């Protein structure tokens, strides 16, 4: 749940921020910048995950090779941090890669939603003396959520079952002693290990039971979220 929640929050925040920046008509070359921003969305996600896995490699990764001297200055880090196999760094690495994969989608959605908001509303607020932050908080953001909230729920449900990212990036590492699950496993990757990589042999019945639990969790959260997001329609 935390993985899905933080993935949606980070990708939405970054996508929305970029959409606001490039929605300004005064910026030159917006079409070129927008084309560059959506490149991560155009590349297959499994290829991007494998590229990031190589970049985050503790011994040979380009990130440690380039920034190792800087990392050594941070308390608690050494020159070659174990990005994919440490105590807390794997969580940060997974969220970083997932944000990279998810922000172009949020950028496209937020760009379309921002362009559909009438300029008359923000102009009237400016005449009344509202600054940029108030216009965004009281007008732009509520109207934006009308269109974006259901997509945020769908993104949450997708990340809840984001098997490819976990399996290709960390494979659930670091391991938990006495359990098939690793510390970075999510339920769907745990189901895969139970069914195909369990040390005690494949247990398809238990894997099917956990899969049913996943369905119930996602269905419950999605139903509650869709019911809650109906409140945003009142701002129309």
């Amino acid at each position: 749940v935390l993985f899905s929640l933080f993935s949606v929050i980070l990708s939405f925040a970054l996508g929305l921020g970029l959409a606001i920046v490039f929605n300004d008509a005064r910026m030159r070359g917006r079409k070129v910048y927008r084309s560059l921003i959506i490149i991560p969305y155009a590349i297959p996600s499994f290829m991007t995950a494998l590229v990031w896995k190589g970049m985050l490699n503790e011994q040979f990764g380009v990130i440690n090779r380039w920034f190792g001297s800087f990392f050594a200055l941070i308390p608690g880090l050494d020159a070659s941090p174990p990005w994919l196999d440490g105590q807390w760094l794997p969580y940060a690495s997974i969220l970083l890669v997932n944000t990279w994969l998810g922000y172009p989608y949020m950028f496209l959605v937020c760009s379309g939603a921002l362009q559909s908001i009438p300029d008359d509303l923000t102009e009237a607020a400016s005449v009344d003396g509202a600054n940029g932050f108030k216009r965004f908080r009281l007008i732009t953001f509520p109207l934006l959520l009308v269109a974006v909230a259901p997509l945020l729920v769908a993104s949450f449900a997708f990340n809840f079952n984001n098997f490819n990212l976990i399996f290709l990036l960390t494979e659930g590492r670091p391991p938990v002693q006495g359990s098939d699950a690793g510390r970075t496993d999510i339920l769907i990757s745990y189901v895969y290990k139970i069914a195909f990589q369990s040390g005690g042999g494949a247990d398809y019945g238990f894997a099917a039971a956990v899969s049913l639990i996943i369905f119930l969790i996602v269905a419950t959260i999605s139903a509650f979220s869709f019911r809650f997001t109906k409140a945003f329609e009142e701002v129309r």
Side-chain angles (χ1 to χ4, degrees):
V1 172
L2 291 176
F3 164 71
S4 301
L5 183 63
F6 280 112
S7 295
V8 172
I9 291 175
L10 292 175
S11 59
F12 175 66
L14 181 57
L16 176 59
L18 291 173
I20 292 174
V21 170
F22 292 109
N23 194 50
D24 193 335
R26 297 172 296 178
M27 177 172 287
R28 297 180 179 179
R30 290 188 299 168
K31 294 183 179 179
V32 177
Y33 294 136
R34 285 172 174 171
S35 300
L36 295 175
I37 286 175
I38 64 174
I39 287 178
Y41 192 55
I43 301 175
S45 60
F46 73 91
M47 292 180 59
T48 303
L50 291 176
V51 170
W52 273 101
K53 183 177 182 179
M55 293 172 60
L56 294 170
N57 184 275
E58 180 179 356
Q59 297 179 343
F60 310 107
V62 66
I63 293 180
N64 282 351
R65 289 174 58 187
W66 286 0
F67 303 104
S69 58
F70 172 75
F71 294 147
L73 300 176
I74 302 176
L77 286 181
D78 53 24
S80 299
W83 295 102
L84 303 177
D85 201 17
Q87 293 297 318
W88 58 271
L89 286 176
Y91 301 114
S93 301
I94 289 172
L95 290 176
L96 171 65
V97 177
N98 210 27
T99 302
W100 174 265
L101 290 169
Y103 86 87
Y105 171 74
M106 295 298 180
F107 168 76
L108 293 174
V109 171
C110 292
S111 295
L114 287 174
Q115 293 175 11
S116 66
I117 298 176
D119 294 333
D120 298 342
L121 297 176
T122 54
E123 291 176 359
S126 300
V127 172
D128 290 339
N131 57 27
F133 177 74
K134 285 187 176 180
R135 294 197 301 270
F136 173 78
R137 182 173 62 88
L138 300 176
I139 298 176
T140 304
F141 192 66
L143 291 174
L144 181 73
L145 285 180
V146 174
V148 175
L151 299 177
L152 296 178
V153 177
S155 181
F156 177 89
F158 169 79
N159 283 296
F160 202 89
N161 291 311
N162 196 346
F163 171 79
N164 288 342
L165 178 68
I166 302 298
F167 184 76
L168 295 175
L169 197 63
T170 66
E171 298 181 8
R173 298 190 308 270
V176 176
Q177 187 175 3
S179 174
D180 292 326
R183 292 182 60 187
T184 58
D185 269 319
I186 57 177
L187 281 177
I188 191 65
S189 61
Y190 177 50
V191 168
Y192 176 83
K193 289 183 176 180
I194 294 172
F196 302 107
Q197 295 183 346
S198 178
D203 192 343
Y204 297 113
F206 185 37
V210 178
S211 299
L212 181 60
I213 293 175
I214 294 175
F215 167 76
L216 294 176
I217 293 174
V218 175
T220 302
I221 295 176
S222 299
F224 172 79
S225 301
F226 278 121
R227 184 181 181 86
F228 178 75
T229 53
K230 288 183 179 181
F232 294 129
E233 297 179 1
E234 297 178 0
V235 301
R236 288 183 180 272

